[in-house]
Amino acid sequence: MLAETVFLATYFLGNGEAGAYLAISEDGYHFRPLFEQPILKPVIGKDRLMRDPSLVRGPDGVWHMVWTTGWWERGIGVAHSRDLIHWSEQEEIPVMASFPNAINAWAPEIVYDPSFKRFQIVWSSTLPDQYLSTAHAQGDLSPAKVPLNHRFYFTTTRDFKTYESTRLLWDPGFNVIDATLLKLDQRWLMIGKDETKAPVAKKHLFAATSTGAFGPFTMSAPKITGPYWAEGPTAVRVDGKTRVYFDRYMEGKWGAVESSDLVHWTDISDRIQFPKGARHGSVVIVKRADLPK
């Protein structure tokens, strides 16, 4: 007998030129493409990319997806769907428009906060005149040779027509990207990537918690992944544990870690299988009846 719920993943291929894809898993370990073609192809942004697709379903049953539209843009993409097949017109959210010197807006993640009945979107940006103590010329650079030195920012919306002013979500004291949020019983979990490349490369994931989605966050585990470079985390609750999927991008495969206490994490990467070439997106647990027909 088939289970009532399944794992649904978004992902992209290559650089994100083709669009966003869906994968499905019955057991949470082995994922297969739901369709051979992308569910949505990028039409906005200078680079016409659809990287880091993050998917959430609102309380009214509508799906919302956000993504990175290009490497050096100050906005992100958003679109909406009731069936994951037919999508609204793609729109750009100019999340960093009020920061004219912002270098980028990377890896947006979207969650729904039932306490405030709002959607929260989190992403990473570099502001060249901020956090100079962790800006290293030997690290990753923009085309203009500006050190990439990201922090987490966010906005909220109820209707995807008006958005709150962009605010800093968290500065943990080092270069960070790829934040994802998960609502637990009494707190919120953030998984992010330490993007430090110089003077010593980190490139691992960490875990932090807060009583609210806006923070303040406290580090619970400064390193939850192994001796490999990881990025693009996404988290779910499975059988009383928190499971974090991520992209082991230097090896061309996905991995995962699990924890019962958010402090001690077990690597289960050897059990994870995603479609060939799949790059990071999001994983959600959904009712089988809600899958595209």
Side-chain angles (χ1 to χ4, degrees):
M1 182 175 178
L2 295 175
E4 292 185 2
T5 59
V6 296
F7 296 76
L8 183 68
T10 58
Y11 66 95
F12 69 98
L13 300 174
N15 200 31
E17 304 94 336
Y21 293 77
L22 290 180
I24 186 176
S25 173
E26 302 285 345
D27 60 7
Y29 301 112
H30 304 87
F31 288 79
R32 58 177 173 80
L34 188 58
F35 306 114
E36 292 301 324
Q37 300 300 317
I39 57 170
L40 193 62
K41 298 180 179 180
V43 297
I44 62 173
K46 296 178 182 178
D47 294 337
R48 295 291 194 274
L49 299 181
M50 192 168 280
R51 297 176 59 87
D52 321 299
S54 175
L55 186 69
V56 71
R57 196 179 193 210
D60 59 356
V62 176
W63 294 95
H64 309 279
M65 189 168 70
V66 295
W67 64 90
T68 305
T69 62
W71 290 104
W72 314 114
E73 300 187 28
R74 292 195 293 271
I76 62 174
V78 66
H80 320 280
S81 174
R82 287 197 171 274
D83 59 8
L84 296 174
I85 296 175
H86 304 92
W87 288 84
S88 69
E89 182 178 353
Q90 297 174 34
E91 299 179 87
E92 180 190 7
I93 310 173
V95 292
M96 296 302 285
S98 58
F99 300 88
N101 64 338
I103 298 296
N104 55 359
W106 281 3
E109 290 276 336
I110 184 169
V111 294
Y112 181 73
D113 186 344
S115 299
F116 290 90
K117 295 181 172 57
R118 289 173 179 254
F119 294 90
Q120 181 172 346
I121 305 172
V122 181
W123 66 93
S124 301
S125 291
T126 287
L127 298 180
D129 57 348
Q130 299 290 318
Y131 315 111
L132 298 181
S133 64
T134 55
H136 292 280
Q138 295 77 30
D140 296 315
L141 305 176
S142 75
K145 306 303 181 183
V146 175
L148 297 183
N149 184 35
H150 305 87
R151 295 301 187 270
F152 295 137
Y153 295 85
F154 79 103
T155 185
T156 69
T157 184
R158 296 183 188 274
D159 55 12
F160 294 94
K161 296 177 181 178
T162 59
Y163 296 85
E164 283 194 328
S165 298
T166 290
R167 289 186 280 164
L168 177 72
L169 179 62
W170 191 33
D171 167 24
F174 51 88
N175 182 8
V176 287
I177 64 170
D178 292 359
T180 189
L181 296 173
L182 178 66
K183 178 70 168 66
L184 303 176
D185 292 335
Q186 302 297 325
R187 52 185 169 170
W188 283 82
L189 169 69
M190 173 194 283
I191 304 295
K193 178 187 180 184
D194 186 335
E195 181 68 342
T196 301
K197 188 176 181 180
V200 178
K202 302 295 182 65
K203 305 288 187 176
H204 57 251
L205 303 183
F206 60 83
T209 60
S210 173
T211 56
F214 302 164
F217 288 90
T218 300
M219 192 74 71
S220 61
K223 183 178 182 180
I224 68 173
T225 49
Y228 45 77
W229 287 13
E231 67 182 14
T234 179
V236 296
R237 289 288 290 174
V238 184
D239 298 329
K241 295 182 179 180
T242 301
R243 181 181 300 169
V244 178
Y245 298 93
F246 50 87
D247 189 346
R248 294 175 62 157
Y249 59 103
M250 300 297 285
E251 303 166 85
K253 62 182 181 180
W254 283 52
V257 292
E258 283 186 341
S259 177
S260 298
D261 60 8
L262 307 183
V263 177
H264 305 92
W265 295 81
T266 300
D267 200 309
I268 59 168
S269 293
D270 59 348
R271 303 180 65 181
I272 305 301
Q273 182 179 342
F274 265 77
K276 184 178 180 180
R279 299 296 313 281
H280 51 272
S282 58
V283 176
V284 292
I285 299 175
V286 302
K287 293 180 179 179
R288 187 182 299 274
D290 293 331
L291 290 175
K293 303 299 189 290

